[in-house]
Amino acid sequence: MLAHLLSLSNFVGVPFGFFLGPVAAYFAQKESKFVRFHAIQSCLFQLSILGLFLLIYGLSIAIAVMFSVSERAMLMFFLATLASLILALLLYVTVMGMKAKNGECAQYPLAGAWAFRKVYSENWIPL
């Protein structure tokens, strides 16, 4: 559960907490396959959210330049998109943390399947 919830530590001022939280959980309990699985998929999910954020930021700048949108309209679009992305992130990570607490092997889209194959394969050696 901590692997998921520590990924939200950047909201309370921890720089790079979205990445460092799951990595810390991974190294704290790396002998447990269950913890490794949730830490790896949480880290990958957070990195994909960062990529999505950068894509949205780039698109909002491109739209503003291409269509000569005012700075205020671009800022409003960007902030509304960012707020909805953050709200969805908070809810989804909290739900995944609660599922991990209950012992479920719930998976994030894309990142979860890859992490499951890596962690539960016979020939994978943890760091």
Side-chain angles (χ1 to χ4, degrees), residues 43-56:
C43 186
L44 290 174
F45 179 72
Q46 292 298 325
L47 289 174
S48 66
I49 290 295
L50 176 65
L52 183 62
F53 167 74
L54 293 174
L55 179 71
I56 290 170

Side-chain angles (χ1 to χ4, degrees), residues 32-95:
S32 168
K33 284 187 175 188
F34 185 74
V35 173
R36 277 188 290 175
F37 163 67
H38 282 285
I40 290 171
Q41 77 166 344
S42 178
C43 186
L44 290 174
F45 179 72
Q46 292 298 325
L47 289 174
S48 66
I49 290 295
L50 176 65
L52 183 62
F53 167 74
L54 293 174
L55 179 71
I56 290 170
Y57 182 69
L59 284 175
S60 64
I61 290 174
I63 289 171
V65 169
M66 287 174 49
F67 298 109
S68 299
V69 178
S70 70
E71 291 177 11
R72 184 175 178 171
M74 183 185 81
L75 181 65
M76 294 302 288
F77 169 75
F78 178 70
L79 290 178
T81 307
L82 181 64
S84 61
L85 184 63
I86 288 173
L87 180 62
L89 174 72
L90 288 171
L91 291 173
Y92 197 57
V93 168
T94 303
V95 167

